[in-house]
Amino acid sequence: MNSTENTSRDKIIFTAQLASISLIWIFVIAIAIWILNLISVSVDLNDAPGISIAISLVAIPVFFTLASILTYVFVGFHKNSKSDLNNTLGD
Amino acid sequence: MTEEKTKTIDIDEALYRPIYETGRGFYLTVGILLMIILFAAFMYVRQVYYGLGVTGMNQPVTWGFYIVNFVFFIGISHAGTLISAILRLSKAEWRRPITRMAEVITAIVLAIGGLHPIIDLGRPDRVLNIFTAGRLQSPLLWDVTSITAYFTASTVYLYLPMIPDIAKLRDRGGKLTRFYDFLSWGWQGTDHQKKVLNRAINILMVMVIPIAVSVHTVISYIFSMTLQPGWHSTIFGPYFVVGAIFSGIAALLIVMIAFRKVFHLENYLKLIHFQYLSTLLLIMSLLWFYFTFSEYLTGIFGAEPHEMDVILYKFTGPYAIFFWSMVVFNFIIPVIVLSFKKFKTIKGILFASITVVIGMWLERLNIVIPSLANPRMELGSGMYFPSLTEWSLFVGAIAVFVLGYVLFSKFFPIISIWEIEEGREESIKEVEKRVKSYLPGPAETSD
Amino acid sequence: MPKWAMVIDLDKCTGCGDCMAACKLENNVAIVSPEQTEEGRVMFWMDMMSVYDGEYPHVKVKRIPKPCFHCDNPPCIKVCPVHATYINPEGLVGQIYHRCIGCRYCMAACPYTAKVFNWYEPEWAEEFKTCLNPDVSLRMKGVVEKCSFCAHRLQVVKEDADAEDREIMDGEYMPACSESCPADAIYFGDLENRESKVFKLSRSPRAFKELEGLGTEPKVIYLSKRE
Ligand code: SF4
Ligand code: SF4
């Protein structure tokens, strides 16, 4: 297989992967915004805002942790694969 | 590289085969399932068009099959992620061929279950109102939040341990290489990558357990937060969680037996796996009985009149047949089958699992309907007969589950190949070391 | 702030069902076909409970009109996921038909089974359509509705009182049921106003509330010597 074709394909796939990771972050941030919006509604209407805040304190960190784990894995994989490549090249 | 490739092909070929070989059976199954699903979709569109009148629900039984199935499916979904996390956490070596199957159940069934409240809505066109005008104080929104969290967590938890396998598929080439390349996230199997992956899985499995428990607790809150007799009970949280794990294990066993048969995985899923899991099923059956017993004993002993109406409706009234068959299916049959070595064959376990799944569905029915059918006011008790629409959507939901599973097994190995390899290569040594570390050391010569 | 409440004198009530009919007409409640009624989809904002006491032939029938109780601590609004049912400062529990998503959670949570659901698109006979009450909005299929204490009448009364720059008088704001009752068994008024008839009757030794032990604090009070 042609190596330039290969790298350009790699690039496309890498961008797609980056896009999927950012999608997850968009999803998580959207959820956070949604929950904050609901809290502001309940404060406006004076409708037991305490419960909403308590739930958001649990829910929002959970979503953020999930997204961070995914990002950690993705970054972790790539950080090393480059240095690995360098190693093998050096050998 | 190529050498290595041929080597791996040989050992676990049985696990790759379903992905590369598509038989007539596959198309036939998919076709039949699609037809069932299309019919269910048609019935749903009809329901949206005419209104919820096409169901069997009425006043006072305002919730029917949809909510029953919602609770039931979410319960089944506990099979997966929760059990796999517990097995991983307790370093049970026999988990290796099981975890993937369990996690797939969760991801698919959770999506199906999560849709049920939307099917149940009178105005599905307004569902977005919960984003603009939602009340986080309503238990229904607690559900939306916790199910979303669980769904995200369990898909991530399904996906991460799949990466090495996807990379294997990528390296084997074929039509879908690009797809696998995209999904494999550049996995090369380096030590650093392994470390990263293991760490992520470890964090996740600790996280996933409380999320899973919270999901079914919150579902029970939908009922127990109201003041209705038969629902307003503090035991509901743990009761639902136990029931969920119970039905989940049973569903997992059924799926395992089915795949073992269809994909000829006898070599991977041995009798011992089923026996271990069915012991777990037996324990859950006893626990379930304990909770059921406490729940009803407190009701009967207190004998609050409205509470008694509901209990009598279940014990001797129109729901007696459902109630008592639930007890037989959930307790008597599994305990008899699973306590005797003689019955603990694959067939016996399959039988017990099927009765448990049916029994747990009946349990959900017994929770939802009788409380609604016996209003506190003197209106007489209501009755509920599901209509064709509700039945077809129920069957349709099951078809979606089977289809999802079949398609998954078409694209990904249903048993975690790298974990099996890891088991072969490392865990024997590791287990030996671990067992040695439990044992008392060489007796220190005491003076 | 007034607190609107209803007192129903069961000793005066003859069980004629006039309140039910008046309510249906006043509030444009859909007429449900007999087959649907059989299936338990009848729609009454003002319902009638019949309680049979004793064995045949010595049966005593109690007829008890049952609207929404407009609880002061309503279990129904606590569970709504979209703010589609609410309690206003005057103690009226309302429904927002255009926001309700039809989850029916509030129906399941109401201990008094006071709410009804539009299982189909509401229907009226042709000749009926000309006499719908223009003050009350029509509902659509798939939403929950219930007795509103004829809140639209309060609107009119308030405007009148404002125009004449005075307080609302006792007995000026009357829901259709209490206005139509031939036995004058249904009283309506302001519980905060110590001069009102409703306040005085609520202190009567015959007064009781349904399911008082639940802490819902219903604002419909029954009067009865029986029991
Ligand atoms: S009677 Fe039922 S519908 Fe009416 S306010 Fe009370 S809980 Fe709500
Ligand atoms: S049916 Fe409508 S009013 Fe009742 S809880 Fe659901 S959204 Fe709220």
Side-chain angles (χ1 to χ4, degrees), chain A residues 34-57:
Chain A
W34 169 53
I35 290 180
L36 290 177
N37 172 34
L38 295 193
I39 291 179
S40 81
V41 171
S42 74
V43 171
D44 275 356
L45 297 177
N46 200 9
D47 183 8
I51 305 178
S52 312
I53 292 170
I55 292 167
S56 69
L57 283 183

Side-chain angles (χ1 to χ4, degrees), chain B residues 368-380:
Chain B
V368 175
I369 311 290
S371 282
L372 286 170
N374 289 283
R376 282 180 197 267
M377 301 301 275
E378 329 238 7
L379 295 166

Side-chain angles (χ1 to χ4, degrees), chain C residues 9 13 31 37-38 53 67 79 88 91 114 120-121 138 143 146 163 182 185 188-189 192 195 198 200 209 215 218:
Chain C
D9 192 335
C13 170
I31 315 271
T37 308
E38 256 329 81
D53 252 357
V79 298
N88 78 3
Y120 288 110
E121 196 70 56
L138 296 183
V143 299
K146 69 165 187 66
F188 195 85
E192 302 281 278
E195 301 303 309
V198 162
K200 285 178 191 142
K209 295 175 179 169

Side-chain angles (χ1 to χ4, degrees), chain A residues 18-83:
Chain A
L18 269 187
S20 64
I21 286 278
S22 17
L23 262 184
I24 285 154
W25 277 103
I26 291 172
F27 170 68
V28 167
I29 290 168
I31 285 184
I33 292 174
W34 169 53
I35 290 180
L36 290 177
N37 172 34
L38 295 193
I39 291 179
S40 81
V41 171
S42 74
V43 171
D44 275 356
L45 297 177
N46 200 9
D47 183 8
I51 305 178
S52 312
I53 292 170
I55 292 167
S56 69
L57 283 183
V58 186
I60 294 180
V62 166
F63 282 106
F64 273 89
T65 323
L66 286 173
S68 337
I69 290 177
L70 272 181
T71 321
Y72 165 72
V73 171
F74 187 69
V75 174
F77 280 8
H78 282 271
K79 221 205 262 140
N80 185 249
S81 67
K82 275 203 194 94
S83 60

